[in-house]
Each structure stands twice: as C-alpha cells, then as structure tokens.
Amino acid sequence: MSTIYGVNRSHSGNASVSGEKHNTALNVKLRDEQWEALEPMLRGREGDAGARGRDNRLFIDAVLWITSNRRLWRDLPLRFGKWNTAYMRFMRWNQSNLWRRLADNIGDDPKLRAAFENIVSYGDEWSLRIKQRASRRTSRQAYDAAIKHAAEQAQMPVEDDSTLHWLRLVVKNEALE
C-alpha cells in the first residue's frame, strides 16, 4: 500500500480514506501542511478585495480528484459542489496561467509539485481540446458555406438562347448516335 497526497492506495487500485473503500476513483486531498504552503499563493482569500472563492481548499481538492482520476467534470462527486461551477473556475484559473504559476512556486514538497504539474498538464490538454473544437467548427462552417454557395450556383436558371443550352443538345444527340 502506498500513500499519495495523504491518501492510502492499495496496489489493487482501491483507495481507502479513514477505513472507507472506493473502487475506481482515487480520493485525493491536500494534507494540512500542503494547504498551509499553498494558501498564501491563491487569489480570493479572506481579506482580498473583490469576489473571493467560496472554499479554495475544497476547489483544489476537486481539481485534484478530477486530474488524478482523469474523469469527466460531470462525474465530480457532489461533496465538491456543482461540477459546472468547479469546471468554469478551473478554466478561468487555467486561462490566467494560475495553475502554472502555482506549480512553479511550490516549495520543497515533491508530491505537491507533481500534483500541480499534473493539473497543468490536464489544463493544457483541455485548452488544446477547446482550440481543436473551435477549429473544427470554423472548418465545418466554411465547408457548409461553400456547399451552400455551390448549390445556389447549380440552381441558377439557364437561358434558352445560351450556348450551353445548345451545347447540351448537341452532346445528347451525339451520345444517341
């Protein structure tokens, strides 16, 4: 059995926290000393001007759960709050490079550094997915516009006196002979 981020994990893949067994998901939480090192670096703390996060520690625990288990955001357990709120906050922090700055400024705790490097990697993957989806959407819109334009061009009426009309008649006659 090994301990990861303060969680006991057996080699069979089961994690246990205070005697509970969880089969597929690793239950990852910050230890108190890790939180104490991390808290001063976060935005939205008590006493900061403007909006503040409801519970930064719970949010980071939620992100650790998602990234360590490589799960979908909608699979986030309710104990972490609403999944879409956590996802939007994760993306805002990712877009502002906060995860990367936190990973760079973490002290001597190699486990915490590894966890935050994993979060940075996960954030980069999500950013790439979003860019790829936007690119596919733009390509699809351009393709649809080109098809629509071609269809409109094909439906243009051909005047009876045009050369093309006579040319079609000549080609038909030659094919029949």
Side-chain angles (χ1 to χ4, degrees):
M1 186 179 315
S2 61
T3 302
I4 302 174
Y5 313 122
V7 175
N8 296 328
R9 182 179 174 102
S10 67
H11 296 289
S12 65
N14 295 334
S16 66
V17 178
S18 64
E20 297 176 0
K21 289 269 184 177
H22 304 278
N23 286 330
T24 56
L26 179 61
N27 214 357
V28 179
K29 289 187 175 187
L30 291 172
R31 294 187 317 261
D32 289 337
E33 61 272 7
Q34 291 172 325
W35 173 245
E36 289 170 7
L38 195 58
E39 186 179 22
M41 294 185 273
L42 299 177
R43 56 173 71 156
R45 295 182 310 269
E46 193 70 40
D48 283 355
R52 50 180 206 90
R54 197 165 151 200
D55 187 348
N56 280 336
R57 186 172 183 169
L58 184 64
F59 167 65
I60 290 177
D61 284 342
V63 172
L64 288 170
W65 188 90
I66 289 288
T67 58
S68 64
N69 292 301
R70 294 292 184 189
R71 300 290 294 266
L72 297 174
W73 283 94
R74 66 176 175 248
D75 294 339
L76 187 68
L78 286 176
R79 69 179 177 268
F80 295 117
K82 295 179 182 177
W83 71 266
N84 52 346
T85 303
Y87 169 75
M88 292 305 294
R89 189 172 177 191
F90 170 81
M91 291 308 296
R92 282 194 307 269
W93 285 25
N94 192 50
Q95 290 168 349
S96 68
N97 259 347
L98 183 63
W99 296 118
R100 194 171 309 280
R101 285 193 308 251
L102 289 172
D104 292 342
N105 293 321
I106 289 176
D108 297 334
D109 190 341
K111 290 180 181 179
L112 188 59
R113 181 178 302 282
F116 273 81
E117 287 173 0
N118 190 31
I119 292 172
V120 169
S121 159
Y122 186 82
D124 290 344
E125 290 172 18
W126 272 95
S127 296
L128 180 62
R129 285 181 194 165
I130 289 169
K131 287 177 187 172
Q132 289 172 339
R133 286 180 188 149
S135 175
R136 281 193 303 266
R137 187 180 316 116
T138 303
S139 296
R140 189 171 42 244
Q141 289 169 345
Y143 175 79
D144 290 346
I147 294 295
K148 183 179 178 183
H149 179 69
E152 289 170 355
Q153 293 297 322
Q155 292 176 358
M156 292 180 84
V158 179
E159 295 181 21
D160 291 337
D161 296 337
S162 74
T163 308
L164 291 176
H165 175 72
W166 290 103
L167 184 59
R168 275 192 234 121
L169 290 174
V170 170
V171 170
K172 271 187 183 177
N173 284 337
E174 287 180 10
L176 292 174
E177 294 176 355

